[in-house]
Amino acid sequence: MPGRVDITSVGQRTSWIDVPRDCDFTIFNIPFGVFRAQDGTSKCCSAIGNFVIDLSVISGAGYFDEAGIPKEVFGSGTLNNLIALGKERTNKIRTRLIELLSEDNVELKSRQDIVSKALIPMQTVSMQMPLTIGDYTDFYSSKEHASNIGSLLRDPNNPLLPNWRHLPVAYHGRVSSIVISGTPVIRPSGQFKRLPTDSSPVFGPTERLDYELEMAFVIGRNSDVGEPIPIGKAEEYIFGFLLFNDWSARDIQSWEYAPLGPFLSKNFMSSVSPWIVTTEAMAPFRVRGPEPEVQLLPYLQTEGELNYDIRLDVELRTGQGASRHLSTGNFRHMYWNSAQQLAHHTITGCNVRIGDLMASGTISGPEENASGCLMELTRNGQTPIQLHDGSIRTFLLDGDTVIMRAHGQKEHIRVGFGEVTGTVSAFR
């Protein structure tokens, strides 16, 4: 096998595959996903430009043989078995693909019989849930978000609870209702008070349905019960990231959350993007995060660049075709980074397993238009948003579609996450 391609040496060069300007799936990315093939099977894939790469075809042609990658892992309907190979081997898959797709490499380009089977137009395939998720935890790690919510619901002068600056707050979520992008969002019903002064709750479909802009990281390595993952080794357990929308029923949440936190207001659905972007692809966008405002306990102390400069955008489209760009934020502002989240999660000896998902919590930023949910943007419904057709929103209506996008850009290097979308439908 020819020498490996160092991604930092690819420079301004491109792939022999046409990659449109501002495309998320450049040669610097090479994410992993699962698609449904024409024969009805689900297979592991990657992406370049507007094409899905069928990894089972590439493997079947022998291009991964020297890396020692078992061919059968690409034919399963989940990435779990591939991730279980370990980062050393999944990195070999990614760098081999970069090598094969580089513009001056003819190994694959000259084999049009293989290319015609391996590269499938993205618009012709159905992307599937990429993982079998065992457990899911949702953090609350954006200081801007926590402060905005605390100001609305508690004390504007002291919005953060005493523990927030000392530990990454989180709750355990529901795996069964995590769905792939594009799955309709059925409006949930539950108990809530229409007014805080009401003496009793009512029951019905939520009247304050909201989205939450999040990123989530995927666990890529098992740990043992009773063995915490130290901060210095946390990233060895993180395979990659995807976009995450944690749909929320704010009225149900405000009634149920004390004393144990969210339950029915969160368990009805969360949506994920179909592509997992590896930590290796995200490496060019590493930055330092915010400085801690208190002295952290040793197990949470970090050094270096552990945050990521990833732009995040949210768009709303109505059933009548009106649209509005709602916010632009950045993942770099997270007060608690993924290494701290994982170290804290496991400090008790709680084990993690391949495929587990850890969501960041709503991502907001210091800028005025960087709020990650409607509750912040509309100040809990007090300041409606006007769309381009003149209609207004405080929270989501039936027929509304929320589209989230994310990408990193550093000079000529662009790496994106695709989209996570969901359209609200009426309660059944």
Side-chain angles (χ1 to χ4, degrees), residues 101-285:
L101 295 167
S102 294
E103 64 179 353
D104 58 353
N105 188 300
V106 298
E107 288 181 82
L108 180 60
K109 182 180 180 180
S110 63
R111 294 291 308 275
Q112 287 302 307
D113 56 326
I114 298 172
V115 171
S116 63
K117 297 177 182 177
L119 269 65
I120 307 168
M122 199 171 285
Q123 70 271 19
T124 68
V125 305
S126 172
M127 296 301 295
Q128 308 294 297
M129 176 67 71
L131 298 164
T132 299
I133 304 170
D135 286 294
Y136 149 57
T137 299
D138 192 23
F139 285 88
Y140 189 55
S141 292
S142 164
K143 182 189 173 188
E144 289 79 11
H145 172 68
S147 297
N148 290 339
I149 296 300
S151 296
L152 289 170
L153 300 181
R154 288 187 298 273
D155 182 356
N157 298 314
N158 191 23
L160 298 177
L161 292 173
N163 65 348
W164 198 92
R165 292 182 176 89
H166 291 271
L167 58 84
V169 174
Y171 73 94
H172 294 291
R174 183 72 185 175
V175 172
S176 63
S177 53
I178 298 178
V179 299
I180 193 67
S181 173
T183 304
V185 184
I186 300 171
R187 183 177 295 274
S189 283
Q191 291 187 28
F192 57 90
K193 286 187 175 183
R194 287 199 169 94
L195 296 173
T197 55
D198 290 347
S199 58
S200 299
V202 297
F203 178 85
T206 177
E207 297 172 0
R208 296 193 166 207
L209 183 61
D210 201 355
Y211 62 83
E212 290 189 344
L213 172 63
E214 306 191 24
M215 299 283 284
F217 65 86
V218 178
I219 295 295
R221 177 178 171 184
N222 294 334
S223 68
D224 295 325
V225 174
E227 295 187 9
I229 298 172
I231 206 90
K233 291 186 177 294
E235 293 199 349
E236 297 177 14
Y237 290 80
I238 300 173
F239 176 74
F241 288 76
L242 43 68
L243 270 168
F244 192 90
N245 184 349
D246 189 26
W247 304 94
S248 298
R250 299 300 188 186
D251 42 10
I252 297 173
Q253 184 176 0
S254 66
W255 172 238
E256 73 174 2
Y257 83 99
L260 294 181
F263 179 37
L264 301 184
S265 57
K266 300 281 191 175
N267 76 352
F268 61 97
M269 185 171 288
S270 298
S271 301
V272 298
S273 56
W275 296 106
I276 300 174
V277 177
T278 65
T279 55
E280 290 72 27
M282 294 172 66
F285 314 109

Side-chain angles (χ1 to χ4, degrees), residues 315-326 374 385-403 422-424:
E315 179 185 349
L316 173 66
R317 295 177 186 167
T318 73
Q320 291 73 43
S323 66
R324 173 168 169 169
H325 179 271
L326 295 180
L374 284 173
I385 292 172
Q386 186 169 3
L387 305 184
H388 296 314
D389 64 351
S391 63
I392 62 171
R393 292 292 185 278
T394 53
F395 292 95
L396 298 171
L397 301 182
D398 293 347
D400 286 348
T401 299
V402 177
I403 306 105
T423 301
V424 180

Side-chain angles (χ1 to χ4, degrees), residues 47-81:
I48 182 80
N50 291 325
F51 293 93
V52 164
I53 306 170
D54 186 338
L55 296 180
S56 68
V57 174
I58 302 294
S59 177
Y63 288 107
F64 297 141
D65 284 356
E66 193 168 317
I69 309 298
K71 292 180 171 60
E72 58 269 18
V73 301
F74 300 110
S76 62
T78 177
L79 291 175
N80 291 56
N81 292 334

